Amino acid sequence: MDAHARLLLTSLVLTGLLSHTTSTITHGNCEKSGQCTYIVRVRPPPNFSAEKSPTSLENWYRSFLPPGMATSELRSPFIHTYTEAIIGFAVRLTKDEVEYVKKKDGVLKVYQDDILPLLTTHTPDFLGLRPNGGAWNSFGMGEGSIIGLLDTGIDFAHTSFNDDGMATPPAKWRGSCKFEGVKCNKKLIGARSLIGGQNSEPPMDDVGHGTHTASTAAGRFVEGASVLGNGNGTAAGMAPRAHIAMYQVCDELGCYNSDVLAGMEAAIADGVDILSISLGGPTQPFHEDILAIGAFSAMQKGIFVSCSAGNSGPFSSSVSNEAPWILTVGASTMDRQMKAIVKLGDGRLFVGESAYQPSNLASLPLVFKLDGSGNITGKVVACEIEGPLVENGQTIKDGGGAGMIILGTEDSGNTTFAAAHVLPASYVNSPDGAVIRKYIESSKKPTASIIFNGTSLGTIPAPVVAYFSSRGPSTASPGILKPDIIGPGVNVIAAWPFQVGPKTVDKHDKVFNSMSGTSMSTPHLSGIAAIIKSAHSDWSPAAIKSAIMTTAYVIYDNKKPILDEKLNPAGHFTIGAGHVNPYKVTNPGLIYDIDEQQYISYLCGLDYTDSEVEIITHQKGACNKGKKIAEAELNYPSIAVWASTGKLLVNRTVTNVGDARSSYTVDIDMPNEIKATVSPTRLEFTKAKEMKTFVVSLSWDSSKTKHAEGSFKWVSGQHVVRSPIVIF
Ligand SMILES: *[C@@H]1O[C@H](CO)[C@@H](O)[C@H](O)[C@H]1NC(C)=O
Ligand SMILES: *[C@@H]1O[C@H](CO)[C@@H](O)[C@H](O)[C@H]1NC(C)=O
Ligand SMILES: *[C@@H]1O[C@H](CO)[C@@H](O)[C@H](O)[C@H]1NC(C)=O
Ligand SMILES: *[C@@H]1O[C@H](CO)[C@@H](O)[C@H](O)[C@H]1NC(C)=O
Ligand SMILES: *[C@@H]1O[C@H](CO)[C@@H](O)[C@H](O)[C@H]1NC(C)=O
Ligand SMILES: *[C@@H]1O[C@H](CO)[C@@H](O)[C@H](O)[C@H]1NC(C)=O
C-alpha cells in the first residue's frame, strides 16, 4: 500500500464512487519549501506521570529537535503536541532535519504525515427506535453520554442540534466552545478546529459530512425533515439525548493524520465517552496506524471507539480500522426507496433511485456519455459514475443534458444511491444497467423517460449489504474477524448545513441530505454505543462492543440469511457478527470482556518488536513481563482461524450481566465437516458479574476444508449470546 495515503472521509457522496485503488492520494503534508509534516513518537520524560506541566513537556519535546529549531523563542515550532493520544508531537521538518530527529535517543518512530480519506429521517424507525415504545423507552436515549466526532465541523445553528429539554453536560466534561458569533448549547457541548494546529476558528462545516454524521449519532427530533421533499418524516439520531462534541480535523480533501491525532488528543482530554470516526486509510500494521494507536490510548481511558470499515468493497481483505480495540462498522441498506423509474423506448421499466424528484422527464433521445464528445443537448445521458454523484450530474447539466441515468457498475450488484441531484436523474442497479446498456447499443433510436414515483418504505429484503462496504479478512490481524458489525449506510437522510446546499432548499432550519458510505453507518453505531453507556456507565469499551456483537441479527424475519449486494447470503467477512439490533444491545445477558493487559498480550503474540508494542501501549518491555497470546485467544466475541491449521482449541470467558441466577446452554451451528465442541455445555450463574470460562474446540481436515462458517450461542430463557466462527 502507498505509504503516502491520506485518510479520506468514508462517505461516497464526497469521495465519489472511486474504486479501492484510487482512494489514496499520493502527496503527503508537504510545503513547497521542502518541509513536510512529521509525527514524532517519543518516550515520555522521566517521571512523566508525576508532572503534567505543558511547558516542561514542550521543553522535553524541543529537546528532540535540531538545535536551531529547539531554541527558537519566537513561537512554538510544533503544529501539535500530544500527551493523551500519544506521547509526541507534529512538526514540519526538512529531509536533513528529519534524519537528525530519527537518530535522537528516545525517538520511537517518525511518521510522515499522510492524508486519510473521509471515507436520518428513517433509520431510527427501521432499527426499532420509536419515541413511543421500543428500545428508546426501555433504555433511554443516551442521557448523560458524550459522543465526540472527528469530522469536517458542524452547522451550529441546525435544528437537529437544538437543546430544548437537554440536561446540562456531566460534571466530568472539560471541553470548551468559545467563539464569537456562534454558540454551543447543552446538545452541542464542545466544538474545536484542529486543522493545521491549535486554532481559534469555530469549526463551521463547509463540507456537510460532519453535520450529517453528528446528527446521525445524536441529532434531536425534527419533524417534517426531508431531502427536497423526499423521505419525509421525523428525523432523529440514534441517541437523541446524548451530548455532542465536534473536533474538526478534515476538510473536503480528507484529514491529515497529525490533525486526526490532535482531535483524539482533545477528545480524550475533554472526557468524551464515545469517539465516532468516519474516516480511514488503507490497512497497516497497528504500530504504523496512527488511528489505531490513538484509539488504544482512548480505550485505556475507557472511551469506546467506533470507526468505518471503509468503502473499498466488495473486494476481499479491503477492511481498514481493524484493531480489536476498535468497533469496525460496515454498511447496509434499509427498507426505503426514493423511486425514479426509467422507461425505455421499448416500454421496459427499471426502478432506480433519486432524492431529487421533479416532474417526470418526457421521452428523449438516450445516449452514452462518450468522453465529453458528442452533442448531449436535450438528451438523456447514460453513464457510469465518475466521481461524486451530484457533480457528475452538474457536468451533464452544464453540457446541456436534460437527464441522467447512472448505470451501476458491474461490482455494485443491487446497491443503488439516491442523491439530491441537480437534474432529472435515476441511479439504476448493475443488472438493470447492463440491460439498458444493451438497449442503447442495439437500438437505432434509443429513448428514455424518467418517472418519479416518490418515497416508499417496506422494501424487502432489507438490510442488504452495500457493495462498497469493505470486507475481511483483516490484513493487519487475520485472526480477528472483521468487520465487527453492519448498520445503515446507504441513502441515510440526516442534517446538512444550509450554506452547503442542496441549493434549492430555502428553510435554514430544516436542511437534510441523503448520503451513503461507511461514514454513515459508523455514527449509527456510535449513537447506539452511547445508549449502552448511559444504561451501563461501568461497562468497558470491550463490554459495549460485545453487547453490540452478540445481539446482532443475521437472518431476516422470514429466517433467510442477510444478503449481500449480489443477493448471495452474506458471509462473516462481509457482515461480521451481523446487523446491529438496538432492541437487544443494552441487555445482552453475557459479555466477553477484554482488559488492557490482554490486548498487550495479544500485541506481543503478533510478534511485534518491543518498541513496536511500546509505540502502541506506552509500556516498555511489556512482552518480557507479560505473556504472549495468539490472536484466537483474545477474549473476542467472534472467532477467525486459518483453515490450514486443521484445529483450534481456545478458552473464552463470559461475565454475567443478566439476572444473578441464570443458566445458559450452548448451541453450536457448524457445517458437518467441522468437528466442534464447547465445554462445558452448560453455564450456571448465581451472582451478578460472575465469570465463567469455557473451551471451544474445533477440528477439520485441512486438506479438504478451505472455508467454513458457523457460530456458537449461549442460550437462556431470555438471551441468545451469539459468536460467529469463520475458518478460512
Ligand atoms: C523520579 O521521581 C522519584 C520520586 O519522586 C525521584 O526519587 C527520582 O529521582 C525521579 N527521577 C528523575 C529521573 O527525575
Ligand atoms: C412530513 O412529516 C411530518 C411528520 O414528521 C408530517 O407531519 C407532515 O405531514 C409530512 N409532510 C408531508 C408533505 O408528507
Ligand atoms: C447541439 O444540439 C443542439 C440541439 O440539437 C443545437 O442547438 C446546438 O447547436 C448543438 N451544439 C453543437 C455544439 O453542435
Ligand atoms: C435485484 O435487481 C434485479 C434487477 O433490477 C431485480 O430483478 C431483483 O428483484 C433485485 N433483487 C432484490 C432482492 O432486490
Ligand atoms: C408508482 O407509485 C404508484 C402509487 O404509489 C404505485 O401504484 C406504482 O406501483 C408505482 N410504480 C412502480 C413501478 O413502482
Ligand atoms: C483454559 O481453561 C482451562 C480451564 O479453566 C485452563 O486449565 C487452561 O489453562 C486454559 N487455557 C488457556 C490457554 O488459557
Side-chain angles (χ1 to χ4, degrees):
M1 270 296 174
D2 194 310
H4 301 293
R6 183 176 171 172
L7 287 185
L8 289 182
L9 293 162
T10 40
S11 103
L12 292 160
V13 173
L14 286 164
T15 59
L17 303 171
L18 305 174
S19 77
H20 62 301
T21 49
T22 51
S23 63
T24 59
I25 297 168
T26 49
H27 51 74
N29 193 356
C30 298
E31 286 179 339
K32 283 208 189 83
S33 65
Q35 285 188 319
C36 297
T37 303
Y38 297 89
I39 299 165
V40 183
R41 169 80 175 85
V42 301
R43 288 221 163 91
N47 288 354
F48 171 66
S49 56
E51 51 118 73
K52 267 205 168 183
S53 146
T55 50
S56 66
L57 191 68
E58 179 155 336
N59 287 338
W60 174 254
Y61 289 163
R62 276 177 189 253
S63 72
F64 295 96
L65 298 180
M69 287 182 79
T71 54
S72 155
E73 296 274 319
L74 287 176
R75 58 183 189 95
S76 168
F78 302 111
I79 298 169
H80 298 287
T81 55
Y82 312 104
T83 61
E84 303 279 353
I86 60 164
I87 303 294
F89 50 87
V91 67
R92 263 192 256 288
L93 301 169
T94 64
K95 280 220 165 68
D96 291 342
E97 287 165 347
V98 77
E99 289 312 314
Y100 175 93
V101 172
K102 277 182 182 164
K103 291 195 188 95
K104 292 288 280 187
D105 213 26
V107 170
L108 286 167
K109 196 167 179 73
V110 178
Y111 304 84
Q112 178 158 6
D113 201 10
D114 290 335
I115 199 154
L116 300 172
L118 273 170
L119 279 214
T120 14
T121 51
H122 180 53
T123 33
D125 208 27
F126 178 67
L127 292 172
L129 297 167
R130 293 185 183 90
N132 305 308
W136 274 337
N137 261 31
S138 325
F139 314 119
M141 303 185 182
E143 288 83 350
S145 293
I146 304 165
I147 302 172
L149 298 105
L150 306 188
D151 217 300
T152 61
I154 193 162
D155 179 354
F156 286 67
H158 201 283
T159 331
S160 287
F161 309 122
N162 80 70
D163 70 349
D164 297 345
M166 282 290 299
T168 49
K172 65 163 186 165
W173 176 245
R174 292 181 297 275
S176 65
C177 174
K178 290 191 203 88
F179 308 105
E180 273 185 32
V182 293
K183 273 214 204 82
C184 284
N185 59 22
K186 287 184 280 188
K187 163 56 77 179
L188 176 59
I189 60 172
R192 288 173 68 179
S193 173
L194 297 137
I195 293 180
Q198 295 296 318
N199 92 55
S200 55
E201 293 298 306
M204 308 302 286
D205 183 9
D206 54 11
V207 179
H209 192 276
T211 299
H212 200 276
T213 56
S215 69
T216 300
R220 305 308 305 279
F221 293 96
V222 180
E223 284 182 9
S226 69
V227 183
L228 311 176
N230 303 295
N232 177 51
T234 300
M238 295 295 102
R241 297 223 179 100
H243 305 282
I244 293 171
M246 173 57 66
Y247 301 90
Q248 185 184 46
V249 299
C250 310
D251 59 22
E252 71 279 5
L253 296 178
C255 334
Y256 281 108
N257 264 320
S258 54
D259 298 336
V260 169
L261 205 49
M264 295 177 105
E265 170 87 15
I268 295 169
D270 288 351
V272 305
D273 298 301
I274 314 286
L275 254 176
S276 188
I277 305 182
S278 289
L279 54 95
T283 174
Q284 283 175 322
F286 300 136
H287 50 88
E288 300 277 354
D289 182 344
I290 288 290
L291 232 166
I293 296 168
F296 193 93
S297 300
M299 177 276 295
Q300 287 174 311
K301 304 258 161 57
I303 298 168
F304 181 85
V305 184
S306 72
C307 293
S308 302
N311 297 338
S312 303
F315 310 102
S316 189
S317 294
S318 51
V319 66
S320 62
N321 293 329
E322 323 133 82
W325 49 89
I326 289 173
L327 181 77
T328 311
V329 186
S332 50
T333 63
M334 48 191 140
D335 64 345
R336 179 179 58 207
Q337 262 190 314
M338 293 181 245
K339 289 185 180 173
I341 300 162
V342 173
K343 186 174 182 190
L344 299 183
D346 63 10
R348 282 183 291 177
L349 300 176
F350 302 91
V351 181
E353 289 202 84
S354 172
Y356 173 55
Q357 303 241 330
S359 32
N360 296 342
L361 185 69
S363 182
L364 290 169
L366 176 61
V367 294
F368 270 128
K369 188 185 181 198
L370 298 164
D371 304 321
S373 67
N375 188 345
I376 61 170
T377 302
K379 295 177 181 164
V380 177
V381 178
C383 56
E384 276 194 7
I385 189 69
E386 302 157 9
L389 283 165
V390 176
E391 281 78 351
N392 202 86
Q394 187 68 54
T395 309
I396 287 171
K397 191 180 179 188
D398 293 345
M404 170 173 74
I405 300 172
I406 302 173
L407 312 173
T409 53
E410 199 178 328
D411 288 322
S412 67
N414 270 41
T415 305
T416 52
F417 297 114
H421 291 290
V422 294
L423 80 173
S426 176
Y427 189 115
V428 297
N429 68 25
S430 171
D432 291 349
V435 176
I436 294 173
R437 194 175 288 112
K438 220 175 233 154
Y439 165 76
I440 301 175
E441 284 161 2
S442 64
S443 307
K444 285 218 179 69
K445 284 193 171 163
T447 60
S449 58
I450 302 177
I451 303 152
F452 295 100
N453 220 28
T455 304
S456 64
L457 300 177
T459 306
I460 49 168
V464 172
V465 181
Y467 79 87
F468 58 78
S469 186
S470 287
R471 313 289 151 101
S474 160
T475 308
S477 183
I480 301 291
L481 174 55
K482 289 282 173 172
D484 291 311
I485 194 86
I486 55 170
V490 181
N491 305 330
V492 173
I493 296 180
W496 197 251
F498 172 68
Q499 69 274 18
V500 184
K503 296 287 183 284
T504 41
V505 177
D506 57 8
K507 273 252 193 70
H508 189 179
D509 61 353
K510 280 187 191 170
V511 184
F512 290 82
N513 200 1
S514 166
M515 302 268 284
S516 299
T518 50
S519 273
M520 280 64 244
S521 53
T522 300
H524 280 99
L525 270 296
S526 307
I528 288 163
I531 295 176
I532 304 176
K533 186 76 189 177
S534 300
H536 306 285
S537 57
D538 59 333
W539 283 14
S540 70
I544 294 175
K545 175 197 273 191
S546 173
I548 290 171
M549 288 173 64
T550 61
T551 58
Y553 66 90
V554 293
I555 53 174
Y556 298 118
D557 288 346
N558 67 5
K559 311 282 184 225
K560 298 262 168 54
I562 289 181
L563 302 177
D564 67 15
E565 73 287 347
K566 294 268 170 72
L567 309 174
N568 299 314
H572 291 350
F573 285 133
T574 300
I575 61 171
H579 192 279
V580 62
N581 185 353
Y583 267 112
K584 300 268 176 75
V585 290
T586 53
N587 187 15
L590 304 175
I591 50 172
Y592 293 82
D593 209 350
I594 302 174
D595 63 12
E596 185 185 336
Q597 190 49 53
Q598 213 191 30
Y599 284 122
I600 294 174
S601 305
Y602 153 85
L603 288 169
C604 297
L606 289 179
D607 281 336
Y608 287 177
T609 64
D610 278 355
S611 126
E612 287 165 352
V613 172
E614 184 183 352
I615 285 169
I616 302 163
T617 65
H618 301 270
Q619 294 204 19
K620 218 168 149 180
C623 299
N624 302 331
K625 286 180 242 153
K627 61 173 186 178
K628 285 184 181 189
I629 59 169
E631 290 162 291
E633 289 176 285
L634 188 68
N635 199 38
Y636 214 69
S638 57
I639 290 177
V641 57
W642 293 107
S644 57
T645 58
K647 64 178 193 324
L648 181 76
L649 189 66
V650 286
N651 287 355
R652 284 284 185 274
T653 300
V654 286
T655 308
N656 179 23
V657 295
D659 292 342
R661 287 194 169 277
S662 43
S663 106
Y664 289 80
T665 50
V666 80
D667 175 7
I668 306 171
D669 175 18
M670 289 299 288
N672 289 335
E673 65 200 277
I674 313 295
K675 199 165 162 288
T677 61
V678 170
S679 159
T681 56
R682 196 175 168 83
L683 300 176
E684 300 280 352
F685 295 91
T686 55
K687 292 193 288 279
K689 303 219 175 136
E690 188 178 357
M691 294 165 87
K692 295 267 182 201
T693 295
F694 55 90
V695 184
V696 180
S697 166
L698 304 170
S699 62
W700 59 93
D701 180 346
S702 59
S703 66
K704 292 204 186 106
T705 299
K706 300 298 170 210
H707 191 101
E709 302 196 350
S711 67
F712 68 93
K713 298 177 204 141
W714 289 107
V715 183
S716 75
Q718 287 155 36
H719 300 287
V720 177
V721 187
R722 181 180 177 279
S723 288
I725 300 173
V726 55
I727 296 165
F728 66 105

